[in-house]
Amino acid sequence: MDASSSIQSLENQIRLIFATHEERLARGAADQLGVEGFANSFDYVRDCLRPFHLRDRDKHAPGVTQATLQPYFKDIYLNRLIGSLLEWFLQEVRENQHMITDDINTFMAEYESSGDVDLIHRMLLRVLEWWEAWGTYVPLFNQYLEGGSAYRRICSIHLNSSLPSSFRRAFRQLVLSTFPTESKPQDTERTKAIFTTLGNLGLLTDHEHLVGSILKDFTTEHLVTRCAKEWSRPLWGEMKEWFNTDIIPWVELAYTRHWMKPTDTRAVVEPVAAKYQWHMCEALAQLRISEIFDIIVDYPDSTPAIMDLKECLFQTGARKELVQTLRASTKKRLLHPGADTKDIITQYISTIRCLRVLDPMGSLLFSVADPIRQYLRDRPDTIRTIVQNLIEPKGEFASSDDGEVRPLQDTQHLSDDYGDFGWMPEPADADAAFRTTKPTDIISTLVSIYDSKDIFIKELQTLLSKRLLELKGQEYEAEIRNLEILKLRFGDAALQVCDVMMKDIADSRRANQQIHNTRRRGDPGGVVEDLPVTATIISRLFWPSVPSSPLVMPGQFRRYQERYAESFARYKPDRKIRFLSNVGTIDLDLELSDRTLSVSDVTPIQAAIVELFSEQDIWSTDDLVERLGGVDIPSVDKALEFWMDHGVVTSLGNKMYQLLEVAEEGRPKAARQPKRPAITDEPAQGMSTGQQQEQQAEQMRVYWQFIQGMLTNFQSLPTDRIHTMLKFAQDYNQTREQLASFLEALKREGLVDFRDGAWRLLRDVR
């Protein structure tokens, strides 16, 4: 109803009353004074109720109280005009709301310029002052109509429509200012005053969802600030203690009122506190889930974070999010060609251990592990990497979690233990293919990546034979102990061949001692001089095949082999040995005209070539190949480069090489250089550093397309990652230093750029 119709209705009712009194006058009733008195009373009440500006408060209805107007309201009620009076009053309130709106705009403009949230509180107090001033006599309606609730409703509607859009942000800042912080403790009186004002204006009811959102955001921000990347100590207990000491008192101030009974206060506070403590638990779970890959990398140092996540998962049930996040992170950061197989296996082991802590039933591990297992199954070096760590005396996963060595478990055919009184049903969110079983140890889990353990046995034999042949000094006690451990895992029958290999090693030690002792005693059947040969004698039918070579050792090396074979034939008349000339190492002392060089761990072909130079000073590559039994030319070239690096041989060009009896200028003429290991990948002697780098860069040119594809797919990569990924390319045998030199050459050509520790492809190249 608009203002004109309301006034028209009121005038019609007044005319009806006047008509009634005129009729009574016509009958002789002397009511003229009563009619005039009622009209004056009605106008008087309207003047008292009419909204006014606060600056005119002292001038408006001075001395008039509710008791003063009580008889007037009763008379109006008796004349059936109380409803029309209330309607008129509410319309007046609507029409004068602009005075309150002007005040609100003034305060908001000042807040926008200063950012002082106390201005918002003063603005709300000012609005409440308007409401109370205009509603001074509203309670007089309540005994006849619901005037008070109608008045509050009209004021609340107009307040919400008058507030600008920026008030929501101001409201948020005002509420945030009431929270306690480390630098600012809780101001109880201020907080109580703010929420009392908000409650009286109805803003807490209207913005209940916003207040809850502010509380949730504040607790979440505090938790993230305190807990992000902090995995070395448990934090969920600290967060609950902080919530109980700082947040629950705030909830009591924000959600309760002074008129509530203690039982009412508890009924309000406890559900709110429980709700937002759960939200904080959910926030910690989401934080730890987002960090789960790095937490696993840092395991076991991150065990406290795993325990916090376990408790939060139990309360929030965010297991599905954990599985999805961990699978995505693993695929992006681990399961790609740039990751080393050993790193993948190490991360897989840490994942197993972490997820067993979170879920002893194994449902989470079952959901997460499948992509890792599939990727490892497709990698060609997975078996070798696992076995390599098994045969190492201090391998990273040579023992189970508790340090006890157990036989391998058949993870493909695990049966239920019906005598297990600790049995638990499968989780509700478990995969359809998941079956609850007792957890297996780490080695059994790794071996179960493949359908059979036979391939592990075969690889174990190969690597053990290689390790035994490479060990020097015949110190095999660590290998013996490790083999006994492997027997406990794989069984004695599976490792019988390894027992034969270890027996051959022991027999070789005794044979070497016997042969050397016999020769030192001057056996009439032998030569008196000492024999500088120590051989490892293997059984051809039991050892894995050793790559053969047509290499024929020349000169004194050939004579040493023949003398050792003769001595062995006397020691073992029923056995005959055949030397594998391409296997083993040799320590040499080279006596030249002006110097003596001692070089250790020289390969047989390197020793054979330097022995041929003792027969004549100049050799061609083809002649060397022919004298050595037809070995391949690249092996000869690499051996020649080795001796050129040591200053023993120099190149004459046209594949001709000469012995340097006298050192070239620039090389020290030391009487005797200390022994050092052989290095086979050094650049050719006689070149400058720049020339060497250019030569290596040209050799690397064939791999440019691979590198270009990597940098296109991954945007940027460090040198180590590029080097690791190039190992998957066929015939790649360059060192990291050679790759770095090639990348520098590409940079000089304007093809790539190096920033922030990583190589990037330039845009114009793409």
Side-chain angles (χ1 to χ4, degrees):
M1 183 181 294
D2 57 13
S4 60
S5 59
S6 175
I7 296 174
Q8 184 66 35
S9 175
L10 181 59
E11 291 177 351
N12 291 337
Q13 294 188 43
I14 295 174
R15 289 193 186 96
L16 179 61
I17 294 173
F18 271 90
T20 303
H21 283 281
E22 287 176 357
E23 184 180 352
R24 292 175 61 189
L25 286 174
R27 294 196 304 265
D31 288 348
Q32 185 174 3
L33 291 176
V35 173
E36 295 176 356
F38 173 76
N40 294 332
S41 299
F42 194 87
D43 290 338
Y44 178 67
V45 171
R46 289 205 303 178
D47 289 338
C48 293
L49 289 174
R50 182 173 285 108
F52 57 91
H53 201 285
L54 289 181
R55 63 173 175 265
D56 299 328
R57 179 183 305 179
D58 296 337
K59 302 176 183 179
H60 181 78
V64 179
T65 63
Q66 291 185 15
T68 304
L69 294 182
Q70 180 67 38
Y72 295 93
F73 270 81
K74 184 177 181 181
D75 192 23
I76 294 171
Y77 170 73
L78 293 175
N79 286 280
R80 294 178 295 177
L81 289 174
I82 192 69
S84 299
L85 180 64
L86 177 60
E87 222 175 288
W88 170 85
F89 170 69
L90 295 179
Q91 183 60 36
E92 288 292 314
V93 170
R94 292 188 188 98
E95 293 179 353
N96 288 277
Q97 281 292 327
H98 63 87
M99 291 186 284
I100 300 178
T101 303
D102 291 342
D103 260 4
I104 290 175
N105 292 336
T106 301
F107 276 101
M108 288 302 298
E110 189 174 350
Y111 166 75
E112 291 292 340
S113 62
S114 66
D116 184 5
V117 294
D118 287 332
L119 287 171
I120 302 301
H121 186 208
R122 291 202 294 271
M123 179 189 75
L124 298 177
L125 289 174
R126 181 70 169 178
V127 173
L128 191 60
E129 188 178 359
W130 282 98
W131 288 12
E132 291 175 349
W134 289 0
T136 302
Y137 308 114
V138 170
L140 295 174
F141 286 103
N142 291 339
Q143 56 183 322
Y144 311 110
L145 299 169
E146 294 183 357
S149 60
Y151 171 70
R152 302 285 295 188
R153 185 166 56 254
I154 292 296
C155 291
S156 180
I157 291 173
H158 282 82
L159 173 62
N160 287 320
S161 64
S162 301
L163 291 172
S165 58
S166 59
F167 175 75
R168 184 179 180 87
R169 178 174 57 85
F171 181 89
R172 184 181 186 87
Q173 295 301 320
L174 178 63
V175 174
L176 284 174
S177 69
T178 63
F179 284 106
T181 62
E182 294 182 358
S183 59
K184 182 184 67 124
Q186 179 74 65
D187 188 344
T188 304
E189 294 302 323
R190 178 178 179 273
T191 302
K192 184 184 296 185
I194 289 175
F195 282 103
T196 299
T197 303
L198 293 173
N200 291 337
L201 293 174
L203 292 177
L204 283 182
T205 303
D206 296 336
H207 296 77
E208 180 180 4
H209 178 74
L210 179 57
V211 173
S213 175
I214 294 170
L215 174 57
K216 180 181 177 181
D217 292 345
F218 178 78
T219 54
T220 300
E221 182 180 357
H222 177 82
L223 181 141
V224 171
T225 302
R226 294 287 300 275
C227 301
K229 301 296 182 180
E230 179 57 57
W231 309 323
S232 60
R233 57 191 178 91
L235 293 172
W236 175 232
E238 293 183 17
M239 292 298 100
K240 289 192 292 185
E241 182 180 356
W242 169 79
F243 189 89
N244 292 333
T245 56
D246 288 9
I247 300 303
I248 289 183
W250 182 92
V251 172
E252 293 177 354
L253 295 173
Y255 285 84
T256 63
R257 300 295 172 263
H258 66 279
W259 43 265
M260 288 184 176
K261 298 179 181 179
T263 54
D264 296 335
T265 300
R266 287 195 299 272
V268 171
V269 172
E270 290 178 359
V272 174
K275 174 182 178 181
Y276 288 100
Q277 183 170 319
W278 184 89
H279 281 306
M280 191 169 68
C281 180
E282 182 186 39
L284 181 58
Q286 295 297 330
L287 175 64
R288 291 296 180 244
I289 288 174
S290 67
E291 302 171 336
I292 186 61
F293 188 89
D294 296 313
I295 290 175
I296 292 175
V297 171
D298 205 39
Y299 186 84
D301 295 337
S302 59
T303 301
I306 292 292
M307 300 307 297
D308 283 344
L309 178 57
K310 180 179 181 180
E311 184 173 352
C312 293
L313 286 178
F314 177 77
Q315 297 187 35
T316 62
R319 293 161 58 94
K320 183 177 180 180
E321 291 81 357
L322 173 63
V323 171
Q324 293 174 344
T325 301
L326 186 52
R327 284 174 68 107
S329 300
T330 300
K331 182 178 180 181
K332 179 180 179 181
R333 302 176 58 181
L334 191 67
L335 305 183
H336 56 77
D340 187 73
T341 301
K342 184 176 181 181
D343 294 336
I344 298 176
I345 295 175
T346 301
Q347 180 73 358
Y348 178 39
I349 292 173
S350 297
T351 301
I352 294 172
R353 289 169 174 163
C354 289
L355 294 187
R356 281 179 178 174
V357 173
L358 293 176
D359 175 32
M361 302 289 291
S363 172
L364 293 178
L365 179 60
F366 182 85
S367 301
V368 171
D370 186 63
I372 306 177
R373 294 168 63 86
Q374 181 64 41
Y375 189 81
L376 287 173
R377 190 181 299 118
D378 296 337
R379 275 222 170 189
D381 58 340
T382 298
I383 298 176
R384 177 175 294 271
T385 304
I386 295 175
V387 174
Q388 184 69 44
N389 277 271
L390 288 177
I391 66 174
E392 291 288 343
K394 296 182 180 180
E396 293 184 8
F397 36 88
S399 61
S400 58
D401 295 337
D402 56 5
E404 182 180 353
V405 180
R406 303 185 182 92
L408 289 179
Q409 297 173 268
D410 187 358
T411 59
Q412 304 295 331
H413 303 90
L414 290 176
S415 58
D416 294 327
D417 184 2
Y418 295 102
D420 183 10
F421 294 99
W423 177 88
M424 293 291 290
E426 296 174 0
D429 59 350
D431 190 273
F434 171 73
R435 290 182 64 246
T436 302
T437 56
K438 287 186 176 180
T440 58
D441 66 349
I442 297 297
I443 301 301
S444 298
T445 303
L446 293 176
V447 173
S448 69
I449 293 176
Y450 298 89
D451 297 331
S452 173
K453 66 179 182 181
D454 293 341
I455 54 178
F456 281 91
I457 300 298
K458 184 177 179 180
E459 185 66 26
L460 192 150
Q461 295 170 359
T462 301
L463 289 182
L464 182 61
S465 67
K466 181 179 179 181
R467 181 174 177 82
L468 292 176
L469 292 176
E470 289 177 350
L471 288 178
K472 299 185 64 176
Q474 297 189 343
E475 299 294 334
Y476 306 109
E477 286 75 10
E479 278 64 34
I480 295 174
R481 290 195 303 268
N482 202 34
L483 180 59
E484 294 301 320
I485 294 175
L486 293 174
K487 286 182 180 180
L488 294 177
R489 291 198 178 279
F490 292 91
D492 291 343
L495 297 179
Q496 285 182 350
V497 172
C498 296
D499 282 336
V500 173
M501 293 162 59
M502 295 305 300
K503 182 177 182 299
D504 285 345
I505 294 299
D507 291 345
S508 298
R509 179 186 299 180
R510 287 192 294 270
N512 285 314
Q513 291 176 349
Q514 179 66 23
I515 291 173
H516 291 156
N517 291 338
T518 300
R519 299 189 71 84
R520 278 193 293 269
R521 288 196 303 268
D523 187 8
V527 182
V528 176
E529 80 262 15
D530 190 18
L531 184 63
V533 176
T534 300
T536 299
I537 305 167
I538 63 177
S539 302
R540 176 175 58 85
L541 298 178
F542 292 93
W543 282 64
S545 60
V546 180
S548 60
S549 171
L551 175 65
V552 176
M553 298 299 291
Q556 58 180 327
F557 300 115
R558 181 69 176 175
R559 293 192 296 272
Y560 288 147
Q561 289 178 345
E562 293 173 351
R563 292 173 186 174
Y564 189 94
E566 294 172 0
S567 299
F568 182 80
R570 288 192 295 271
Y571 174 65
K572 292 279 188 179
D574 58 337
R575 304 276 300 273
K576 182 179 181 180
I577 63 173
R578 178 174 63 87
F579 281 94
L580 299 175
S581 299
N582 59 314
V583 181
T585 59
I586 303 173
D587 295 341
L588 294 178
D589 289 333
L590 303 180
E591 296 182 358
L592 301 170
S593 298
D594 60 342
R595 64 199 184 280
T596 299
L597 300 178
S598 296
V599 187
S600 62
D601 295 338
V602 174
T603 63
I605 190 172
Q606 292 169 350
I609 286 178
V610 80
E611 173 67 14
L612 290 177
F613 275 99
S614 67
E615 299 177 4
Q616 64 183 52
D617 292 345
I618 299 176
W619 286 87
S620 68
T621 303
D622 295 336
D623 291 341
L624 289 173
V625 170
E626 182 180 356
R627 280 295 304 271
L628 295 176
V631 297
D632 57 287
I633 293 178
S635 299
V636 173
D637 289 339
K638 185 172 290 187
L640 287 169
E641 290 177 2
F642 171 77
W643 290 118
M644 290 170 64
D645 175 60
H646 284 72
V648 176
V649 175
T650 186
S651 174
L652 300 177
N654 296 324
K655 298 183 178 181
M656 299 296 294
Y657 297 88
Q658 181 180 10
L659 178 68
L660 293 176
E661 284 285 355
V662 179
E664 293 180 329
E665 294 184 4
R667 289 187 177 272
K669 299 181 180 180
R672 187 177 183 87
Q673 295 184 358
K675 292 185 179 182
R676 59 170 179 162
I679 303 174
T680 60
D681 290 328
E682 291 292 325
Q685 190 65 31
M687 292 185 180
S688 65
T689 302
Q691 292 173 332
Q692 295 170 5
Q693 292 179 352
E694 290 178 2
Q695 184 185 51
Q696 294 168 359
E698 288 301 321
Q699 295 172 354
M700 289 285 294
R701 187 69 60 178
V702 67
Y703 301 106
W704 162 237
Q705 295 297 329
F706 292 97
I707 298 173
Q708 187 177 11
M710 294 177 200
L711 298 180
T712 301
N713 294 330
F714 293 94
Q715 305 301 323
S716 63
L717 288 172
T719 306
D720 290 334
R721 284 282 301 279
I722 297 175
H723 183 59
T724 301
M725 296 170 72
L726 281 176
K727 290 180 180 179
F728 290 90
Q730 187 176 6
D731 298 331
Y732 178 79
N733 58 358
Q734 306 298 315
T735 65
R736 183 190 179 282
E737 290 72 19
Q738 291 171 331
L739 173 62
S741 299
F742 177 58
L743 292 172
E744 288 292 341
L746 294 178
K747 181 180 178 182
R748 290 192 296 270
E749 295 176 15
L751 299 177
V752 297
D753 189 21
F754 187 76
R755 295 194 307 271
D756 300 327
W759 294 95
R760 292 173 172 81
L761 199 63
L762 294 181
R763 292 183 179 179
D764 54 350
V765 177
R766 298 179 190 176

